Every structure is written in C-alpha cells, then in structure tokens.
Amino acid sequence: MCGIFAYAGEKINAASIVFEGLKHLEYRGYDSWGVAVVPVADTNKQIFVKKRIGKIGNATVVDMPESMFAFGHTRWATHGGVTQANAHPHLDCTGTIAVIHNGIFENYENVKNKLIQKSHTFISETDTEVIAHLIEEYAKSMDFGHAVQKVFNEMKGLNAIIAFSQEDDKFIAARNGSPLVVGYGKDENFLASDATALLSHTKLVHYLEDNEMAILNKNDIRLFNIKTGEPIKPKKQRLRWNA
C-alpha cells in the first residue's frame, strides 16, 4: 500500500501541491517518498526528480524547480529495501519516462530479465522500475499511450500506475485492484490513491474501476477501457466530506 498524487494545471508550484497531497497519504506509505516535475523554465522538458528515505513530515520541496506538472509517491517497501534508489518515481534508461506505482507486479522478474538482454540498465531492486523500461521498449514502435496500455495489460497482480513522458504534459493512469481516483478542477486536474487528499482542491471526482485508464492534462480527463481501448463515460461524484 503506497500513496500517489498527481497535478496538472496553471499553478507553477506543482511540486508543493503534490508534496502537500502526499502528506495526506503518508498513512499509505511512510518509509520513503519522491516527487517528479517538468520545469516550466526548461525548454527541453527534462524531468527533475527528488527522492528521499524517511518520513515526509520533516522534508520540503522548496528546492525543486517551478512547474505546472508533477506527481509524487510515498512508499511502503515491497520489492527492495528502503533506499533512495528504490524510492519512486522511477525513470527509464533515457530519463524521459517517469512512473509511480502501487501494488505488486507479480511477473516483473521474467520481464526484467528479457529487458536486460535488450541492454536496459536498472538502478533499483523494484518491480516498478521494470514498468518504466518496458514502456520505453514499447514506445520505440508505438505512441506513448498505447505503450502504457500494452504494458499494463501484461502486468499480473493488483496494480495502479501513473506514467508520463517528457514529450507530453499529460498523465496516463491505469488501475486494476489498487485504488485510484481522478479529481476535476478549474484549469487543473488531479490524480490520487485516496480522495481525502483531493478535498482541499476539488470535490468532483471519478473513481477508476478495474481495467480503466485515464489520460489527464490540465484541461481534460478522458477515460478508456484498458483492455479494448473503448471510451468510457465518467461517473462523476461530488464528495460531501470536508477535510
């Protein structure tokens, strides 16, 4: 069980927005954390990542670049020990694809061995890093969205992932068994593993169901069946809770 939070919008303090969201999710993962952003001042859209071990409460992200696009993760270790290398987000070989993940990718070892034979280099002990590299491999011959879809359909186990490429200011998220919710805002949209983390931003949400995929940017959220690719109409709910 880990915590996920993502933001795409007009505000340039995306790292701080994500970081505060993660604080609401620390009960889901508390041994390490990480945040990835695409800096607004970087014309190359290079992904900037900050990862640390330990509880999130005494940390900050004030040293991260200004950004309008960011996601983050708090970890409860499953594959691999509590180290900075094992903390999420994880990148591919090129450093242009980032992934965060909840759940257990049960068949990751077999996939990892095949990717090593194709000269992929791994720096962590996690199953999650394998997802980033497999997306990288498939994205060589198809668009990024279809690469993420193909990877998720090959993953065994109960999982939720969010991935993005530095080429596009959009998140691609998918869920099977592990919770994920999208939040609808004004000129901004959100993803989280628990709706409580969204309450200070929006109360209009859609809970992803199993085998649903969301493509999200600051202006739009589109939903699809990840098996068939068919569009899905959202089941928007207005939360009646308060923080």
Side-chain angles (χ1 to χ4, degrees):
M1 185 168 72
C2 304
I4 278 175
F5 195 94
Y7 170 83
E10 296 288 345
K11 300 182 178 77
I12 62 172
N13 62 330
S16 295
I17 291 169
V18 168
F19 191 70
E20 290 302 314
L22 292 179
K23 287 183 178 181
H24 292 286
L25 299 169
E26 192 173 18
Y27 75 93
R28 298 184 62 89
Y30 44 80
D31 59 40
S32 59
W33 61 272
V35 175
V37 306
V38 178
V40 293
D42 189 348
T43 56
N44 295 319
K45 294 189 174 183
Q46 190 68 36
I47 299 172
F48 185 99
V49 178
K50 180 175 182 177
K51 304 198 286 189
R52 297 290 185 269
I53 60 172
K55 293 185 176 181
I56 198 170
N58 297 323
T60 72
V61 290
V62 294
D63 56 336
M64 295 193 75
E66 291 181 339
S67 175
M68 297 185 290
F69 188 84
F71 70 9
H73 184 274
T74 59
R75 182 173 184 249
W76 181 66
T78 50
H79 294 92
V82 181
T83 67
Q84 191 165 310
N86 287 337
H88 302 209
H90 288 283
L91 304 179
D92 69 325
C93 288
T94 66
T96 63
I97 294 170
V99 173
I100 53 180
H101 166 227
N102 287 352
I104 297 177
F105 180 5
E106 293 178 357
N107 54 321
Y108 86 99
E109 288 184 283
N110 182 50
V111 175
K112 183 176 182 178
N113 289 334
K114 291 179 180 179
L115 289 169
I116 289 172
Q117 293 173 9
K118 295 182 178 181
S119 300
H120 286 263
T121 302
F122 293 84
I123 62 173
S124 80
E125 306 165 289
T126 67
D127 54 342
T128 305
E129 189 185 4
V130 179
I131 300 169
H133 288 271
L134 190 56
I135 293 171
E136 174 195 359
E137 187 66 26
Y138 288 153
K140 294 175 182 177
S141 59
M142 63 185 71
D143 67 73
F144 185 72
H146 283 100
V148 176
Q149 180 183 5
K150 183 174 175 62
V151 169
F152 196 80
N153 283 328
E154 293 180 5
M155 293 172 62
K156 295 181 181 178
L158 304 179
N159 297 281
I161 68 169
I162 306 176
F164 75 83
S165 165
Q166 73 176 42
E167 301 295 327
D168 303 297
D169 290 339
K170 65 184 178 185
F171 295 111
I172 301 181
R175 170 252 162 97
N176 179 32
S178 190
L180 208 55
V181 56
V182 295
Y184 296 81
K186 181 176 173 55
D187 298 321
E188 58 185 9
N189 290 305
F190 305 84
L191 282 156
S193 49
D194 189 325
T196 57
L198 300 175
L199 291 176
S200 61
H201 303 286
T202 181
K203 293 190 176 183
L204 187 62
V205 303
H206 167 83
Y207 290 92
L208 267 72
E209 298 181 1
D210 285 350
N211 296 314
E212 285 188 2
M213 176 174 73
I215 300 179
L216 179 153
N217 61 27
K218 66 181 180 180
N219 298 316
D220 186 39
I221 299 174
R222 291 177 291 146
L223 303 174
F224 301 89
N225 181 299
I226 200 160
K227 298 291 187 184
T228 66
E230 291 296 314
I232 293 173
K233 185 177 180 179
K235 299 175 183 176
K236 295 182 181 180
Q237 302 180 40
R238 190 163 295 279
L239 303 176
R240 303 301 178 186
W241 322 333
N242 58 49

